[in-house]
Amino acid sequence: MKKEIVQRINQLKKEKKAIILAHYYCNDEVQDIADYLGDSLALSQIAAKTDAEIIVFAGVHFMAETAKILAPSKKVLIPKEEAGCKMADMIDVISLMKYKKDNPNKKIICYVNTTAAVKALVDCCVTSTNALKIIKHYTDLGHDILYCPDKNLGSYAMNQFGSKFETWQGCCPIHDDVTQGDVLEAKKLHPKAIVVAHPECQNSVLELADYVGSTKQILAYVKESNALEFIVCTECGILHQMQKDCPDKKFYMPTTMLCEDMKLTYLEDVLECLEKESNEIILDKEIIQAAKKSLDKMLELS
Ligand code: CIZ
Ligand code: SF4
């Protein structure tokens, strides 16, 4: 059955000049049929460069929106329209506009895990791969900044640089729910394991980590490391690629760390989306233009 779905997807991809992009946090079966697998930024950059006419973005809404902003002339589809991001939902346009009015001198730096409308209001975007570098760029220039919406990544950056700035009080509940106790427990069970963590985790967890980085950076670190066992503190979907890259290494999670939104998409949904060309991402031209400025600024600084 699944085999037939894959065949049909491949046939439609050819007929319609379509490509499928999937995030590392997606269900394994979706990762396996993707033309490109990556983090949200790498995938959006692929979207911008491809000559495909249709892009099916298997991931959550903000990721597909980012692809649309960088590739506005392409048809960008998301298999499951309701796939959102709990962190992106923690900041909205009205609250951010009010903040800007009350703090007219702040430079506002925002994580890519935000809606296009929020990106349209900020000075620069960042991803987990380039956040430290870009935040440092602004603080070194003496700017007073707001980092939004992830308080954990914000305070991680402050700890790294010994600087102080304001952060929005948002977070990713999947990463934020892991406690230092959970990691200590996992370390007790696997004393030889190296701890790798995503900066969306609480700082008390990051303090225990041997390596902190984005999904892409964690994958590269684990591949190159001589260690054979790892405690992985990020969304569990990453294990699929890790196990493929390193079949002889062992990976443990401190808790389940599963993002339900990232797991909404199955092969059937990708097929239906391709067949019907449904759930197209439509954004206002003005929003695309303004949000693209913040993304371009990020690309310039990273
Ligand atoms: O930007 C991304 O793709 C996310 C959400 C995680 C990461 O670290 O790559
Ligand atoms: Fe959003 Fe967290 Fe899910 Fe990533 S893992 S999509 S940040 S809720």
Side-chain angles (χ1 to χ4, degrees), residues 24 39 42 129 213-221 238:
Y24 296 122
D39 62 12
T129 303
S214 66
T215 50
K216 188 176 150 188
Q217 290 168 330
I218 291 177
L219 282 163
Y221 177 86
I238 200 174

Side-chain angles (χ1 to χ4, degrees), residues 147 149-156 167-171 176 203:
Y147 178 72
D150 185 10
K151 62 179 172 154
N152 288 337
L153 209 162
S155 41
Y156 172 63
T167 66
W168 204 263
Q169 289 305 299
C171 67
D176 190 63
N203 276 267

Side-chain angles (χ1 to χ4, degrees), residues 106-118:
K106 291 248 183 183
K107 287 275 180 201
I108 303 182
I109 302 178
C110 98
Y111 201 19
V112 280
N113 300 36
T114 45
T115 61
V118 163

